[in-house]
Amino acid sequence: MVPVSIAGASGYTGFELIRLLSGHPRVRISAITSRANQGESLSDVYPAVRGHCDLRFEDTDPDVLTRGAQLVFTALPHQAAMDIIPSLLDRGIRVVDLSADFRFRDASVYEAWYQKHSAPHLLGEAVYGLPELHRERIANARLVGNPGCYSTSVILGCAPLLQAKLIVAESIIADAKSGVSGAGRGLSLTTHYCEVNDGFRAYKVAEHRHTPEIEQELSFLAGKPVRINFTPHLVPMSRGILSTIYAQLEPGVNEQHVAEAFHAFYASARFVRLCPSGHFPTTLQVRGSNYCDLAWKVDSRTGRVIVISVIDNLTRGASGQAVCNMNLMLGFPEDCGLEAAPWQP
Amino acid sequence: MVPVSIAGASGYTGFELIRLLSGHPRVRISAITSRANQGESLSDVYPAVRGHCDLRFEDTDPDVLTRGAQLVFTALPHQAAMDIIPSLLDRGIRVVDLSADFRFRDASVYEAWYQKHSAPHLLGEAVYGLPELHRERIANARLVGNPGCYSTSVILGCAPLLQAKLIVAESIIADAKSGVSGAGRGLSLTTHYCEVNDGFRAYKVAEHRHTPEIEQELSFLAGKPVRINFTPHLVPMSRGILSTIYAQLEPGVNEQHVAEAFHAFYASARFVRLCPSGHFPTTLQVRGSNYCDLAWKVDSRTGRVIVISVIDNLTRGASGQAVCNMNLMLGFPEDCGLEAAPWQP
Amino acid sequence: MVPVSIAGASGYTGFELIRLLSGHPRVRISAITSRANQGESLSDVYPAVRGHCDLRFEDTDPDVLTRGAQLVFTALPHQAAMDIIPSLLDRGIRVVDLSADFRFRDASVYEAWYQKHSAPHLLGEAVYGLPELHRERIANARLVGNPGCYSTSVILGCAPLLQAKLIVAESIIADAKSGVSGAGRGLSLTTHYCEVNDGFRAYKVAEHRHTPEIEQELSFLAGKPVRINFTPHLVPMSRGILSTIYAQLEPGVNEQHVAEAFHAFYASARFVRLCPSGHFPTTLQVRGSNYCDLAWKVDSRTGRVIVISVIDNLTRGASGQAVCNMNLMLGFPEDCGLEAAPWQP
Amino acid sequence: MVPVSIAGASGYTGFELIRLLSGHPRVRISAITSRANQGESLSDVYPAVRGHCDLRFEDTDPDVLTRGAQLVFTALPHQAAMDIIPSLLDRGIRVVDLSADFRFRDASVYEAWYQKHSAPHLLGEAVYGLPELHRERIANARLVGNPGCYSTSVILGCAPLLQAKLIVAESIIADAKSGVSGAGRGLSLTTHYCEVNDGFRAYKVAEHRHTPEIEQELSFLAGKPVRINFTPHLVPMSRGILSTIYAQLEPGVNEQHVAEAFHAFYASARFVRLCPSGHFPTTLQVRGSNYCDLAWKVDSRTGRVIVISVIDNLTRGASGQAVCNMNLMLGFPEDCGLEAAPWQP
């Protein structure tokens, strides 16, 4: 059992890591930390795991996190992550970071959308943790920047089409919808029950910070700079992201080309499932799992393809993918600890 | 008090008509009909109005519907509507039809998306019941084809931009999300509680029947044929539609041009509200009302405009708009009986 | 149009008052106040009423509230209410108070469950604002203590049985369930969307502060001191209360006696509806209205009666009842401004 | 890997069995049957398990079910279960029946609440499958009658108090609230999304069929006949049951006696958790797990104890408990395949 620790474990992403790692057959959790809940027992904060996982939140300190651990998950806000990660790496510990701090290859992009980067020297070695795109590099990385939830759903929906050059890269529009857990456990009027219930809405229109991250990976796939429109929406539900992606087809591209590109690209993907023709996925069918389910439709009237991509934002969009990255880094099977079926209903 | 009747009154659209008309100061309901619930009292089917509106469902028969009524609302499935409407008109009664049967000027378009039309001779005089576009013609119509719910939200979001020629007509993409009441009160697995809750999904991708209806009106506004992509989604909530509309801006068009177009087009619109810059509406803020709230954002990175349009699918998207059309036809103030504030929370 | 003002108007209860009063045919709102939102326009806080009610929040100050107003609604937290109300009364203004501060005839009861009372001299004249019990006294009151939401549903469910002496008073158990709006618009983890959704729970078991208020009125009805068990629960929905009330029948009491007591007690009640035998109400059928719908069942196996009582917690449980009390105080018809049908779905 | 089969596997209870058994380390599913979905692949009916569990529904036939299986789960409607179970037992196969058909020791009780029993000779040997009460007998049973969902939550909440004779048996009132999945996947207006959302309601007041089943087990615990009041309610959520149980304390019984009784009774219970004093559980904290979480409060004002009991209706209330019973019957650890943490949020 390999010991691993979690920094910032009291949010939903942290708790999802605890849920997954407490059932993982090859690792054990050596420490969980939280500045807000330091000193409290996990089961007082999350009664769901009383008698199931009896840990206590410690201070978010490098010594605590590396005490006997071989790998650290950092589920901290951006800025806080890059403040602590260099000292973890210096102690010879590998890191899967769930913040945005190490997702960008180019510090100037990060700084244009976020803030000054305090550890830009690490961006060169950090690997963007999307296994379908960077499996080999993840396995060898010291530092993995775990993708954003929206980014995961959009990139996986576009990748086959861009790589096979079937779509006009600059025509991509991603309209994404997320459950409320994506906004975390912190209190705000926008996540207050009575404001969410029966209240579907868009937010951060044309300025959400997952945009440059998606563009970085789509540009990598297209072999040229790609700019997209990305609009996030808040759905009255707890978990799940569905992204509806529109793109103009290159001349002559038909339904069969599109289907072949998806099947080829994901031929060996453990956690991507392609829906049968004519079936479109619901977020319910991936809930609690690491699956990304994809479907598409060619609209010959308009010459566009529409791709539907669903994930669980907390599992595939955050903690499940982080565990998958850990599995690759530690040489375990990719799905180790991630085999459970989705939850329905 | 002008007597009016409702055919097909036992569904959600019919009940919303009853709710609105039972509080309308200028009309009274002379008859409600329902094939499924014929003979039952309204309050047994909808206990909400016990002691409030004591009617009984009668047979959906022209004699019943026109018995003393001056205007009939037909809230029947398509086909059933066009089967009965000619006989209502023959009796000299005016009709607001909530089905799709009289929304199309061109029978061949209807027949391509629906079925054989049995009363094509009436299409020439039927008026598409969107007051912001056809107020004068509605006032004088014998027969109004009340718009579809999605169509209302999308057309109102595009109209100012198309009329002012600020966007590339063929670039329009409408990504729409609806509460479950849009699917009616009929039973199906897709509206079963446990399949909807936490289960956001797309449906009828690139083939929903509101597409040609939207295209008809957008073509009218653009002065040339327009084809769009339209994708409907089902949201785990009872009421509300939010449409996110994307379009490429014509060269040189900026935020100010867009704002001016919206303000000019809706300068005298009683039921369209423009959100302050930077505010995006939630479906909650129009619930139960006839408002359409609009917001937009110019994305200079991609040269596109994003419009957000919210309505209540049962009120503005169906029965509220039908009452508004009735008001215009009967010479009442446009908002007569529609003044109540939206419901929040 | 009689001018009235609202203190503490930015919470859900305050907004429900604004919704109802803005459509009331006999009054107009002269001022709304809020300490938290002072200076902001109502439509920035509640976009639902943009263009519909264009007021601005002022400071919660007696001069503001009484400036031209004939009656003030105080929708303030307890303590804050009793701090300001004496000065309103001193200015000759009548008050409907939605806090708990003036619901108790006995200051010691208030002080045992809440805190020191700062205006006990007013408790003698304050009237408990439940029209079905105290209609005459409300009409003549200077100060009405508007009942709690749970209290309204439980008292109305028990009243006929206690008055007719059909049940054993000390056997009453009220198990109540409320939508989340009852907890207000203030932020807390217990009203955070992801903690509520799919998370039904009980709270303040055997110590909720509506208990003594219910007991006061039931004792009044029974003619002797009554103690009950009362348990509130939080339901994943925005609006509505359903109370399930259990009581032991006195010897010889049967279904018919129970039915007769309910029908006699509520024979002339405008806002209480008795369900047909065998039908049990849902909270949906009273949503947005001032109705209380009641049903009951005699269980001959156990000798108990079970009463089901549903209300909308924001309307009948707070602001609708407050408007009804105002109507009585100002000599308007009891249902003036409260005639709209419940919202469904 | 022991082969087991599932009769009636296409409902929610059946699918929950598939979910749990497909991840169970000691068994494999040899066949799933469904009359409604015969011939269809599981993943067409439940896309959630596409690529995860590739079975096909077969006919609900004894030969299919016993083909190589050592144990059969019957998740059929009552009547259908007792029609097929004798032939399964005759083939030497052990059965866990999730219907009500074999929960009663006395055929006359079954027949008073359900219908004529067609296999009364098996009632003597069938064991009521609540491990906390009948662990030894379950282990040796040929036929286990798996408890009802409500029954599980109520019996576990009352058992310690009745056995320790701390409460007046005839005073028990159980007010229970369930998520909608308890009503199954069959279509009905009462489980239609728009009728459930924001629509909390009671049903089958004083006549729900879980009543006699609860009474049977409470009578067993009390050592004398017990009659209770039981009221079920439908909560707008998918999963979870919370039961609020009221009982009069015997003279002299205090908080400490109650706490000791609970701790003693459940000292070695793997799947019952007692909440710390002052904490009351939410359904969210047991979702997807086999836990029953219990809390209680002594109300010295009224001399009653209130017990709160939460379970997941599909897991502990049906399929998880069935797997637990299978574990006992096959000599596996009680929690084999049931170790996963609850799902939150």
Side-chain angles (χ1 to χ4, degrees):
Chain A
M1 302 288 273
V2 175
V4 301
S5 64
I6 307 169
S10 64
Y12 288 140
T13 300
F15 183 69
E16 181 79 351
L17 277 171
I18 293 170
R19 180 181 76 82
L20 293 168
L21 294 172
S22 70
H24 195 288
R26 307 282 295 266
V27 305
R28 64 178 176 79
I29 305 174
S30 59
I32 59 174
T33 79
S34 162
R35 277 184 184 142
N37 298 97
Q38 188 189 341
E40 292 183 65
S41 81
L42 171 61
S43 59
D44 282 346
V45 179
Y46 286 100
V49 289
R50 189 176 304 283
H52 194 92
C53 182
D54 288 318
L55 292 162
R56 194 168 284 276
F57 290 108
E58 303 184 61
D59 187 26
T60 304
D61 178 273
D63 289 338
V64 170
L65 289 164
T66 59
R67 187 188 60 212
Q70 292 184 23
L71 186 145
V72 177
F73 294 94
T74 45
L76 300 165
H78 54 86
Q79 183 69 62
M82 62 186 173
D83 285 351
I84 200 170
I85 285 172
S87 65
L88 301 174
L89 296 174
D90 286 350
R91 283 164 166 83
I93 304 298
R94 299 167 83 182
V95 173
V96 177
D97 176 35
L98 286 84
S99 88
D101 287 350
F102 295 98
R103 293 178 189 159
F104 293 89
R105 279 185 277 276
D106 183 342
S108 70
V109 175
Y110 178 88
E111 295 185 346
W113 289 79
Y114 290 84
Q115 65 210 315
K116 182 92 185 128
H117 202 293
S118 61
H121 61 288
L122 292 172
L123 294 179
E125 67 165 298
V127 179
Y128 191 75
L130 196 60
E132 286 77 5
L133 267 62
H134 306 295
R135 186 173 278 101
E136 304 306 317
R137 294 186 58 228
I138 292 165
N140 299 310
R142 272 208 310 170
L143 172 56
V144 166
N146 207 60
C149 51
Y150 285 123
S151 313
T152 297
S153 77
V154 174
I155 298 166
L156 291 175
C158 294
L161 300 173
L162 276 177
Q163 195 187 60
K165 304 200 182 307
L166 302 184
I167 56 173
V168 178
E170 49 269 36
S171 72
I172 296 173
I173 290 172
D175 191 279
K177 302 90 176 172
S178 175
V180 183
S181 62
R185 211 185 192 201
L187 304 182
S188 74
L189 198 54
T190 54
T191 53
H192 192 60
Y193 185 83
C194 291
E195 304 289 316
V196 172
N197 190 29
D198 258 25
F200 186 89
R201 65 186 187 83
Y203 66 101
K204 295 193 199 243
V205 178
E207 54 189 44
H208 192 280
R209 287 166 160 177
H210 286 180
T211 309
E213 179 185 332
I214 298 169
E215 290 178 344
Q216 167 182 283
E217 297 301 308
L218 298 192
S219 300
F220 162 78
L221 285 157
K224 63 175 180 180
V226 174
R227 283 200 166 163
I228 68 159
N229 266 105
F230 169 68
T231 314
H233 301 74
L234 199 66
V235 186
M237 63 182 184
S238 291
R239 283 177 179 245
I241 285 178
L242 184 147
S243 292
T244 311
I245 305 163
Y246 302 86
Q248 193 182 328
L249 291 166
E250 292 287 357
V253 174
N254 62 26
E255 184 99 32
Q256 191 184 339
H257 300 134
V258 169
E260 286 171 359
F262 273 101
H263 283 282
F265 195 91
Y266 292 120
S268 63
R270 168 65 180 88
F271 284 121
V272 175
R273 301 188 296 192
L274 306 179
C275 297
S277 176
H279 288 73
F280 293 94
T282 151
T283 54
L284 209 50
Q285 75 190 50
V286 297
R287 197 165 50 154
S289 82
N290 206 46
Y291 288 118
C292 174
D293 282 7
L294 297 170
W296 57 86
K297 173 93 175 183
V298 166
D299 184 359
S300 55
R301 295 173 69 252
T302 61
R304 294 198 188 94
V305 61
I306 303 104
V307 180
I308 307 287
S309 169
V310 299
I311 61 168
D312 182 314
N313 59 300
L314 286 183
T315 320
R316 176 45 104 108
S319 306
Q321 188 146 269
V323 170
C324 185
N325 284 324
M326 176 200 75
N327 285 340
L328 294 173
M329 294 165 80
L330 298 181
F332 302 152
E334 185 174 351
D335 62 359
C336 193
L338 296 169
E339 306 94 337
W343 311 334
Q344 189 175 351
Chain B
M1 303 287 274
V2 176
V4 301
S5 64
I6 306 169
S10 63
Y12 288 141
T13 299
F15 183 70
E16 181 79 351
L17 277 170
I18 294 170
R19 179 180 78 82
L20 293 168
L21 295 172
S22 69
H24 195 289
R26 307 282 294 268
V27 304
R28 64 175 177 79
I29 304 174
S30 60
I32 58 174
T33 78
S34 162
R35 278 186 183 141
N37 299 96
Q38 188 189 342
E40 293 183 64
S41 81
L42 172 60
S43 60
D44 282 348
V45 178
Y46 287 99
V49 290
R50 188 176 304 282
H52 194 92
C53 182
D54 288 319
L55 292 162
R56 193 169 284 276
F57 291 107
E58 302 183 62
D59 187 26
T60 302
D61 178 273
D63 289 339
V64 170
L65 288 164
T66 60
R67 189 188 57 211
Q70 292 184 24
L71 184 145
V72 177
F73 294 94
T74 45
L76 300 165
H78 54 84
Q79 182 69 61
M82 63 186 173
D83 286 350
I84 199 170
I85 285 172
S87 64
L88 301 174
L89 296 174
D90 286 350
R91 283 164 166 83
I93 304 298
R94 298 168 83 184
V95 174
V96 178
D97 176 35
L98 286 85
S99 88
D101 287 351
F102 295 98
R103 294 178 189 159
F104 293 89
R105 281 186 275 278
D106 183 342
S108 70
V109 174
Y110 178 88
E111 296 186 345
W113 289 80
Y114 290 85
Q115 67 210 312
K116 183 90 187 130
H117 202 293
S118 62
H121 61 287
L122 293 171
L123 294 179
E125 68 164 298
V127 179
Y128 191 76
L130 196 61
E132 286 78 3
L133 267 63
H134 307 294
R135 183 172 281 98
E136 303 308 316
R137 296 186 56 228
I138 292 166
N140 299 310
R142 273 208 310 169
L143 172 57
V144 166
N146 207 61
C149 50
Y150 285 122
S151 313
T152 297
S153 76
V154 174
I155 297 166
L156 291 175
C158 293
L161 300 174
L162 275 176
Q163 196 187 60
K165 303 199 183 305
L166 302 184
I167 56 173
V168 179
E170 50 268 32
S171 73
I172 296 172
I173 290 172
D175 191 279
K177 301 88 175 173
S178 175
V180 183
S181 62
R185 211 186 192 203
L187 304 182
S188 73
L189 198 54
T190 55
T191 54
H192 191 60
Y193 185 82
C194 292
E195 305 289 317
V196 171
N197 189 29
D198 259 24
F200 186 89
R201 65 188 187 82
Y203 66 101
K204 295 193 198 239
V205 178
E207 54 189 46
H208 192 279
R209 285 164 160 177
H210 286 180
T211 309
E213 180 184 332
I214 298 168
E215 289 177 346
Q216 167 182 285
E217 297 302 308
L218 298 192
S219 300
F220 162 78
L221 285 157
K224 63 175 180 180
V226 174
R227 282 200 168 164
I228 67 158
N229 266 104
F230 169 67
T231 314
H233 302 74
L234 198 67
V235 186
M237 62 184 185
S238 290
R239 283 177 179 247
I241 284 178
L242 184 147
S243 293
T244 310
I245 305 164
Y246 302 86
Q248 194 183 326
L249 292 167
E250 291 287 358
V253 174
N254 63 26
E255 184 99 31
Q256 191 183 340
H257 300 134
V258 170
E260 286 171 358
F262 273 101
H263 283 281
F265 195 92
Y266 292 119
S268 63
R270 168 67 181 87
F271 285 122
V272 174
R273 301 188 295 192
L274 306 180
C275 298
S277 175
H279 288 72
F280 292 94
T282 150
T283 54
L284 210 51
Q285 75 189 51
V286 296
R287 199 166 47 154
S289 82
N290 206 45
Y291 287 118
C292 174
D293 282 8
L294 296 171
W296 56 88
K297 172 95 177 181
V298 167
D299 185 359
S300 55
R301 296 173 69 253
T302 61
R304 294 197 186 94
V305 61
I306 303 103
V307 180
I308 307 287
S309 169
V310 299
I311 61 168
D312 182 315
N313 60 300
L314 285 182
T315 320
R316 176 46 103 106
S319 306
Q321 188 146 268
V323 170
C324 185
N325 283 324
M326 176 200 76
N327 285 340
L328 295 173
M329 294 164 80
L330 299 181
F332 302 152
E334 185 175 350
D335 61 359
C336 194
L338 296 169
E339 306 93 340
W343 312 333
Q344 188 174 352
Chain C
M1 302 288 272
V2 175
V4 301
S5 63
I6 307 169
S10 63
Y12 289 140
T13 299
F15 183 70
E16 181 79 351
L17 277 170
I18 294 170
R19 180 180 78 81
L20 292 168
L21 295 172
S22 69
H24 194 288
R26 308 281 294 268
V27 305
R28 64 176 176 80
I29 304 175
S30 59
I32 58 174
T33 78
S34 162
R35 280 188 182 139
N37 299 97
Q38 187 189 344
E40 293 183 65
S41 82
L42 171 61
S43 58
D44 282 347
V45 178
Y46 287 99
V49 289
R50 189 175 303 284
H52 195 92
C53 182
D54 288 319
L55 293 162
R56 194 168 285 276
F57 290 108
E58 302 183 63
D59 187 26
T60 302
D61 178 273
D63 289 339
V64 171
L65 288 164
T66 59
R67 187 188 59 211
Q70 291 184 24
L71 184 145
V72 177
F73 293 95
T74 44
L76 299 165
H78 54 84
Q79 180 71 60
M82 62 186 174
D83 286 349
I84 200 170
I85 285 171
S87 65
L88 301 174
L89 296 173
D90 285 349
R91 284 163 166 84
I93 304 298
R94 297 167 84 184
V95 174
V96 177
D97 176 35
L98 286 84
S99 86
D101 287 352
F102 295 98
R103 293 178 190 158
F104 293 88
R105 280 184 276 275
D106 182 343
S108 70
V109 174
Y110 178 88
E111 296 186 345
W113 290 80
Y114 290 84
Q115 66 210 312
K116 181 92 186 127
H117 202 293
S118 61
H121 61 289
L122 293 171
L123 294 179
E125 69 165 298
V127 179
Y128 191 74
L130 195 61
E132 286 78 2
L133 267 61
H134 306 293
R135 184 173 281 99
E136 303 308 314
R137 295 186 56 228
I138 292 166
N140 299 311
R142 272 207 313 168
L143 172 56
V144 166
N146 208 60
C149 51
Y150 285 123
S151 313
T152 298
S153 76
V154 174
I155 298 166
L156 291 175
C158 294
L161 299 174
L162 275 177
Q163 196 187 58
K165 304 200 183 306
L166 302 184
I167 56 174
V168 178
E170 50 269 34
S171 73
I172 296 173
I173 290 172
D175 191 279
K177 303 89 176 175
S178 174
V180 183
S181 62
R185 212 186 191 203
L187 303 183
S188 73
L189 197 55
T190 54
T191 54
H192 192 59
Y193 185 83
C194 292
E195 304 289 318
V196 171
N197 189 28
D198 258 26
F200 185 89
R201 63 187 187 83
Y203 65 102
K204 295 192 198 243
V205 177
E207 56 189 43
H208 192 280
R209 286 164 160 179
H210 285 180
T211 309
E213 179 185 332
I214 298 168
E215 290 177 346
Q216 168 181 283
E217 297 302 307
L218 298 192
S219 299
F220 162 78
L221 285 157
K224 62 175 179 180
V226 174
R227 283 200 167 163
I228 67 158
N229 266 104
F230 168 68
T231 313
H233 302 74
L234 199 66
V235 186
M237 63 182 186
S238 290
R239 281 176 181 249
I241 284 178
L242 184 147
S243 292
T244 310
I245 304 163
Y246 302 85
Q248 193 182 328
L249 292 167
E250 292 285 358
V253 174
N254 63 25
E255 185 98 34
Q256 192 183 337
H257 300 135
V258 170
E260 285 172 359
F262 274 101
H263 283 281
F265 195 92
Y266 293 121
S268 63
R270 169 66 180 87
F271 284 122
V272 173
R273 301 187 297 192
L274 306 179
C275 297
S277 176
H279 288 72
F280 294 94
T282 149
T283 55
L284 210 51
Q285 75 189 50
V286 296
R287 200 167 46 155
S289 82
N290 206 46
Y291 288 118
C292 173
D293 282 7
L294 296 171
W296 57 86
K297 173 93 176 183
V298 166
D299 185 359
S300 55
R301 296 174 69 253
T302 60
R304 295 198 187 94
V305 62
I306 303 105
V307 179
I308 307 286
S309 169
V310 299
I311 61 168
D312 183 314
N313 59 300
L314 286 182
T315 320
R316 175 46 103 110
S319 306
Q321 188 145 269
V323 171
C324 185
N325 284 323
M326 176 200 76
N327 285 340
L328 295 173
M329 293 165 80
L330 299 180
F332 302 152
E334 184 174 351
D335 62 358
C336 193
L338 296 169
E339 306 92 339
W343 312 334
Q344 187 174 355
Chain D
M1 302 288 272
V2 175
V4 300
S5 63
I6 307 169
S10 63
Y12 289 141
T13 299
F15 183 70
E16 181 79 350
L17 278 170
I18 293 171
R19 180 181 77 81
L20 293 169
L21 295 172
S22 70
H24 195 289
R26 308 282 294 268
V27 305
R28 65 177 177 78
I29 304 174
S30 59
I32 58 174
T33 78
S34 163
R35 278 186 184 140
N37 298 96
Q38 189 189 344
E40 292 184 66
S41 81
L42 171 61
S43 58
D44 282 348
V45 178
Y46 286 99
V49 290
R50 189 176 303 285
H52 194 92
C53 182
D54 289 319
L55 292 162
R56 194 167 284 276
F57 290 107
E58 302 183 62
D59 188 26
T60 302
D61 179 273
D63 289 338
V64 170
L65 289 164
T66 59
R67 188 188 60 212
Q70 291 184 22
L71 185 145
V72 177
F73 294 93
T74 45
L76 300 165
H78 54 84
Q79 181 71 60
M82 63 186 173
D83 286 351
I84 200 172
I85 285 172
S87 64
L88 301 175
L89 295 175
D90 286 348
R91 283 162 165 85
I93 303 298
R94 299 168 84 183
V95 174
V96 178
D97 176 35
L98 285 85
S99 87
D101 287 352
F102 295 98
R103 294 178 190 159
F104 294 89
R105 279 185 277 276
D106 181 343
S108 70
V109 174
Y110 178 88
E111 296 186 346
W113 289 80
Y114 289 85
Q115 65 210 315
K116 181 92 186 129
H117 204 293
S118 61
H121 61 289
L122 292 172
L123 294 178
E125 66 165 298
V127 178
Y128 191 74
L130 195 61
E132 286 78 4
L133 268 62
H134 307 294
R135 185 173 279 99
E136 304 307 316
R137 294 186 58 227
I138 292 166
N140 299 310
R142 273 208 311 169
L143 172 57
V144 166
N146 207 60
C149 50
Y150 285 122
S151 313
T152 297
S153 76
V154 174
I155 298 166
L156 292 175
C158 294
L161 300 174
L162 276 177
Q163 198 188 58
K165 304 200 181 307
L166 302 184
I167 56 174
V168 178
E170 49 269 33
S171 73
I172 297 173
I173 290 173
D175 191 279
K177 303 88 175 174
S178 175
V180 183
S181 62
R185 211 185 191 201
L187 304 181
S188 73
L189 197 55
T190 54
T191 54
H192 192 59
Y193 184 83
C194 292
E195 304 289 317
V196 172
N197 190 29
D198 258 24
F200 186 88
R201 64 187 188 83
Y203 66 102
K204 295 190 199 247
V205 178
E207 55 189 44
H208 192 280
R209 286 165 161 179
H210 285 181
T211 309
E213 180 186 330
I214 297 169
E215 291 177 345
Q216 168 182 285
E217 297 301 308
L218 297 191
S219 299
F220 162 78
L221 285 157
K224 63 175 180 180
V226 174
R227 283 199 166 165
I228 67 159
N229 266 103
F230 168 69
T231 314
H233 301 75
L234 198 67
V235 186
M237 63 181 185
S238 291
R239 282 177 180 247
I241 285 178
L242 184 147
S243 293
T244 309
I245 305 163
Y246 302 86
Q248 193 183 328
L249 291 167
E250 291 288 357
V253 174
N254 63 25
E255 186 99 33
Q256 191 183 339
H257 300 134
V258 169
E260 285 171 359
F262 273 101
H263 283 281
F265 195 91
Y266 292 120
S268 62
R270 168 67 181 86
F271 285 121
V272 174
R273 300 188 297 193
L274 306 181
C275 297
S277 176
H279 289 72
F280 293 94
T282 150
T283 55
L284 210 51
Q285 74 189 52
V286 296
R287 198 168 48 155
S289 82
N290 206 47
Y291 288 117
C292 173
D293 282 7
L294 297 171
W296 57 87
K297 173 95 175 180
V298 166
D299 185 358
S300 54
R301 295 173 69 255
T302 60
R304 293 198 189 93
V305 61
I306 304 104
V307 180
I308 307 287
S309 169
V310 298
I311 60 168
D312 182 315
N313 61 299
L314 286 182
T315 319
R316 176 45 104 106
S319 306
Q321 187 145 270
V323 170
C324 184
N325 284 324
M326 175 199 76
N327 286 339
L328 295 173
M329 294 165 81
L330 298 181
F332 302 152
E334 185 174 350
D335 62 359
C336 193
L338 296 169
E339 306 93 339
W343 311 334
Q344 187 173 354

